[in-house]
Amino acid sequence: MSSGGARIVGQAHLADGSPVTEARVFFGAAPVPMPDIAALTDDDGRFSLYAPAPGAYELVCHADGLDPATVPIDVLPGSESIAVDVELGS
């Protein structure tokens, strides 16, 4: 990716491995201004977002009835894709 960003791909799940569907996944912090949008997880709990620049990001995942999860992500220059595992609590 010529801009130095990376695709963030992952799965949201419970401690027992069950996928969390329709969870909202968004960047809570980023090294550059970001639009206020969220991805929704699919039936398998999978999601994909784009981090447009290298730097430190904070990924937030929130689903109704569950404690939210926050995952720090470092996007390094030259990264193309970063896999993230997000466990939500009850």
Side-chain angles (χ1 to χ4, degrees), residues 1 5-6 11 21-22 24 30-31 36 40 55 59 61 64 67-68 72 75 80 82 84-85 89-90:
M1 306 209 163
Q11 182 181 32
T21 61
E22 296 187 6
R24 293 166 299 286
D36 189 19
L40 286 178
L59 188 77
C61 185
D64 293 339
D67 292 335
V75 175
E80 290 187 17
I82 298 172
V84 178
D85 185 54
S90 56

Side-chain angles (χ1 to χ4, degrees), residues 19-22 41-46:
V20 178
T21 61
E22 296 187 6
T41 59
D42 66 12
D43 290 342
D44 294 322
R46 298 193 184 284

Side-chain angles (χ1 to χ4, degrees), residues 6-71:
R7 175 114 358 241
I8 310 300
V9 295
Q11 182 181 32
H13 60 85
L14 300 175
D16 67 4
S18 302
V20 178
T21 61
E22 296 187 6
R24 293 166 299 286
V25 185
F26 57 94
F27 293 114
V32 295
M34 297 290 292
D36 189 19
I37 58 171
L40 286 178
T41 59
D42 66 12
D43 290 342
D44 294 322
R46 298 193 184 284
F47 62 88
S48 176
L49 290 170
Y50 183 69
Y57 290 79
E58 180 181 84
L59 188 77
V60 179
C61 185
H62 184 275
D64 293 339
L66 297 172
D67 292 335
T70 302
V71 178

